[in-house]
Amino acid sequence: MEKTKILLVEDENIVAMDIQNRLKKLGYVISAAVSSGEEAVKKAEDLQPDLVLMDIMLKGHIDGIEAAGQIRDHFDIPVIYLTAYGDKNTLDRAKITEPYGYILKPFEERELHTAIEIALYRNKLERKLKEGEQWLETTLKSIGDAVIATDAGGYIKLMNHIAETLTGWRQKDAAGKDLEEVFNVINEKTRISVEDPVAKVLKKGVIIGLANHSMLIARDGREIRIDDSAAPIKDDKGNIT
């Protein structure tokens, strides 16, 4: 099994050497040890380590928090802060960069090891979740039918491209709006609005279909004959979400 590669960012040589020795003892590989925020960002890009251990007060023009923010935004590499500063202002700034851990010096070896392993595990889970979301998004885009998903209150969460084309609404404009505002459906013969499919699904908890002669009124006034169905999305406890 390939060993975990760690980028160490620490501007005090003696402290850096001590941390490197501890990391090696724990079985990790040191990709590089640097002393400035600028070097940290450059090495993160060049070496693509599995994790970054980041001091906050560093040499150079950007501190550890700024460097961590850039590394998160551009390379999606987990960062653990390893610092002597635990005041509220520093913590508030650090939280914005969504770190995977915050260890105050001095620290125990076991504490360091635990923080690293939890960070790596959490990052692995989050990557799987992102891959799943990307897979779902690609699947929805490739489906030939229009798909609209709402929350339990009937407010739109997402639409695929076919749904955008039919309704005349873009995903970014429709998100958060009541389904009835975007999915405006009437009976072709009576011109009366069709019952909200989300309300029917919430009431019955099963897949339901629209009645015959249903007509979608698009945003630009176009009238399109449609056939559709609505299905409940449930969580792992069976609750409709």
Side-chain angles (χ1 to χ4, degrees):
M1 186 175 177
E2 191 174 345
K3 290 186 176 181
T4 300
K5 296 173 291 185
I6 294 177
L7 171 62
L8 176 62
V9 189
E10 170 61 61
D11 66 351
E12 294 185 24
N13 290 335
I14 296 176
V15 176
M17 287 296 295
D18 176 58
I19 296 173
Q20 287 185 73
N21 289 333
R22 294 193 193 198
L23 291 172
K24 289 176 183 176
K25 184 179 176 182
L26 291 168
Y28 302 116
V29 174
I30 314 300
S31 294
V34 298
S35 59
S36 72
E38 292 85 351
E39 288 178 297
V41 175
K42 184 69 169 61
K43 289 295 184 182
E45 179 179 13
D46 294 342
L47 303 175
Q48 292 292 310
D50 299 305
L51 182 136
V52 178
L53 283 178
M54 179 78 72
D55 192 9
I56 289 179
M57 298 304 174
L58 298 169
K59 299 172 182 175
H61 297 294
I62 63 174
D63 66 8
I65 293 175
E66 292 176 85
Q70 292 185 33
I71 290 171
R72 179 204 63 186
D73 293 341
H74 297 301
F75 315 121
D76 194 26
I77 299 171
V79 175
I80 293 176
Y81 288 116
L82 202 58
T83 179
Y85 296 87
D87 59 279
K88 187 178 183 303
N89 288 337
T90 302
L91 283 170
D92 287 342
R93 283 187 62 220
K95 282 190 292 187
I96 296 173
T97 64
E98 300 176 4
Y100 282 66
Y102 197 103
I103 303 175
L104 288 175
K105 301 174 184 175
F107 57 87
E108 297 293 330
E109 202 168 277
R110 181 182 296 178
E111 184 183 2
L112 177 63
H113 185 229
T114 300
I116 291 173
E117 291 302 310
I118 289 175
L120 292 171
Y121 181 70
R122 177 183 151 197
N123 182 246
K124 183 179 179 180
L125 291 180
E126 289 182 357
R127 289 192 176 185
K128 282 186 177 180
L129 179 60
K130 286 180 183 177
E131 287 173 4
E133 289 173 346
Q134 289 169 352
W135 180 86
L136 175 60
E137 184 178 354
T138 301
T139 302
L140 284 173
K141 285 180 179 178
S142 66
I143 289 175
D145 293 326
V147 178
I148 303 175
T150 77
D151 61 17
Y155 296 100
I156 293 174
K157 300 288 286 184
L158 62 85
M159 301 170 64
N160 68 355
H161 179 66
I162 304 298
E164 289 181 324
T165 301
L166 285 179
T167 63
W169 286 81
R170 299 292 299 276
Q171 157 80 26
K172 63 179 181 180
D173 298 323
K177 291 189 179 298
D178 192 299
L179 177 67
E180 290 184 318
E181 183 177 349
V182 176
F183 187 65
N184 180 16
V185 181
I186 63 171
N187 181 285
E188 182 182 9
K189 294 183 176 181
T190 66
R191 311 299 291 181
I192 296 173
S193 294
V194 173
E195 182 183 355
D196 177 8
V198 171
K200 291 176 73 175
V201 165
L202 290 173
K203 191 185 301 179
K204 299 183 178 180
V206 296
I207 298 174
I208 58 100
L210 278 183
N212 294 330
H213 310 295
S214 294
M215 185 83 74
L216 171 69
I217 310 298
R219 193 176 189 182
D220 60 6
R222 288 177 296 123
E223 296 188 358
I224 307 161
R225 289 189 182 90
I226 62 166
D227 180 32
D228 89 332
S229 64
I233 300 174
K234 299 181 179 181
D235 61 20
D236 55 0
K237 295 180 180 178
N239 300 313
I240 297 176
T241 61

